[in-house]
Amino acid sequence: MILDEASAEFHDFFERHHAELARLAHLLTGETDAADDLAADALVVLWHRWDRVRQADQPLAYARGVVVNLARARIRGLVRERRRTMLFWSRFPEPVEGPDVAAIMDVRAALARLPFRKRACVVLRHAFDLSERETAQQLRISVGTVKSQTSKGLAELQLLLGPRAAGHLAGRGSR
């Protein structure tokens, strides 16, 4: 009976939070296809640790942390793969594609240009409306680092997108 109760709780958690975790993964990686995979992988990790996770004060915070770590690992792996590919194909230029849809594609492209920590801070603070303290806990960094990385990330987005678009992004998550 305990297993059935745990399974039901996990199923409920999955139903409530899968889409949000996939959205977080998408905003961190910029990859639609990988987002669902990363969210699913995170939920598998959670299922294996469900006895501990279900007793935690904030299971969703733990889940977000798993998604952030999996996204970071994926990005690092892709960077290593691209470097190897570039070394192999260095004599052939890489085609560069611009955004194909106005605002949303511009923001996604600009986010993709930010270093991971700045991107994670901006996404968690402004797309997920987390406080500085919550963001620091999710990323396992200090509140001061969250403040500086978010500020620097927004400044870079402002350079990439222009002051008006960056201002709209910064209008959220000010708690």
Side-chain angles (χ1 to χ4, degrees), residues 14-107:
F14 179 94
E15 291 294 323
R16 285 182 304 161
H17 301 295
H18 177 266
E20 177 184 344
L21 295 173
R23 182 172 159 237
L24 173 61
H26 181 260
L27 288 169
L28 292 174
T29 64
E31 299 176 17
T32 304
D33 296 336
D36 281 331
D37 291 343
L38 287 172
D41 290 347
L43 287 160
V44 168
V45 169
L46 292 175
W47 172 245
H48 288 311
R49 301 175 186 162
W50 189 244
D51 286 339
R52 285 186 295 171
V53 173
R54 70 193 273 217
Q55 294 172 7
D57 290 336
Q58 298 179 358
L60 180 57
Y62 185 86
R64 286 181 183 142
V66 172
V67 170
V68 167
N69 288 334
L70 290 173
R72 179 183 297 121
R74 177 171 177 77
I75 290 167
R76 285 180 179 162
L78 290 172
V79 167
R80 283 191 300 272
E81 182 180 322
R82 286 182 187 137
R83 284 182 185 150
R84 286 191 298 267
T85 301
M86 286 176 64
L87 286 172
F88 185 75
W89 295 103
S90 62
R91 64 181 180 221
F92 301 107
E94 288 188 34
V96 176
E97 295 181 23
D100 59 346
V101 177
I104 193 79
M105 294 306 294
D106 289 344
V107 170

